[in-house]
Amino acid sequence: MNNRLKQVLAPLVMAPVVVIGLAGCSSEPEAADLQEIIGETEPNAPGQVANGADVGPFSGVFDADFRGDIPSYLGSGVTLSAEVGEVLTAEALTIVGDDEAEPLLVVTGSEVPGLETGQTVEIAGLVREGFDVQAFEETSGVDLADEVFLDWEGEYYIDATAVTTSP
């Protein structure tokens, strides 16, 4: 190869080598360095958020702690033990817990016979927000007394798949 050709090709051959070399000198941390900075993380399991914080499913007593954390359970399955606060219809009730817990609406797509205020129940269902009586009626096929639910419109609620009463 003659000298003239070497002079023309040399810069073209060296350009990729220089670019690759400069990339290695970047001030950005490498992937391994980032992993050391943020720590080892495991993929999130269903019902978990970043860094493995458990947000559901929940199984336990309905109380002020659960009520206060309810936004973190949206869409999650829960099983709650609670006391019936008020029987609204054969398909809807409120539950109460300790004195500090605000009542929570529970609606179901079928009648629950024998509900009484003060009775202990176990509720299984999904936590939802923004209760809309007409939307619930459309999806469940249940005709609720709309005026009974005026105070609950837009509130959090449990869309129950099961309501079990204790004797």
Side-chain angles (χ1 to χ4, degrees):
M1 196 182 297
N2 68 28
N3 283 340
R4 175 80 176 131
L5 186 57
K6 286 181 185 177
Q7 289 174 344
V8 171
L9 291 177
L12 295 175
V13 171
M14 291 303 293
V17 172
V18 171
V19 169
I20 292 171
L22 288 176
C25 297
S26 169
S27 64
E28 295 294 318
E30 294 180 19
D33 294 337
L34 285 175
Q35 197 63 38
E36 288 175 17
I37 292 168
I38 62 174
E40 293 293 324
T41 58
E42 296 293 323
N44 293 326
Q48 290 186 332
V49 294
N51 296 324
D54 190 12
V55 296
F58 176 87
S59 181
V61 175
F62 175 69
D63 59 12
D65 288 337
F66 176 85
R67 187 68 163 103
D69 291 339
I70 203 164
S72 66
Y73 294 104
L74 285 176
S76 295
V78 297
T79 302
L80 298 170
S81 177
E83 188 176 297
V84 175
E86 184 179 359
V87 178
L88 302 172
T89 69
E91 303 85 8
L93 63 140
T94 64
I95 56 173
V96 294
D98 57 25
D99 291 339
E100 297 174 21
E102 291 181 37
L104 181 63
L105 176 65
V106 176
V107 291
T108 183
S110 59
E111 289 186 12
V112 182
L115 284 177
E116 296 177 14
T117 301
Q119 183 177 35
T120 301
V121 291
E122 186 168 290
I123 309 290
L126 296 175
V127 176
R128 305 270 190 214
E129 70 177 328
F131 182 71
D132 180 331
V133 68
Q134 292 176 343
F136 182 79
E137 288 175 330
E138 289 174 17
T139 59
S140 69
V142 172
D143 185 24
L144 299 172
D146 296 6
E147 64 280 354
V148 173
F149 296 93
L150 293 176
D151 290 341
W152 295 100
E153 287 286 324
E155 296 291 324
Y156 292 106
Y157 66 103
I158 303 291
D159 186 354
T161 54
V163 178
T164 308
T165 58
S166 298

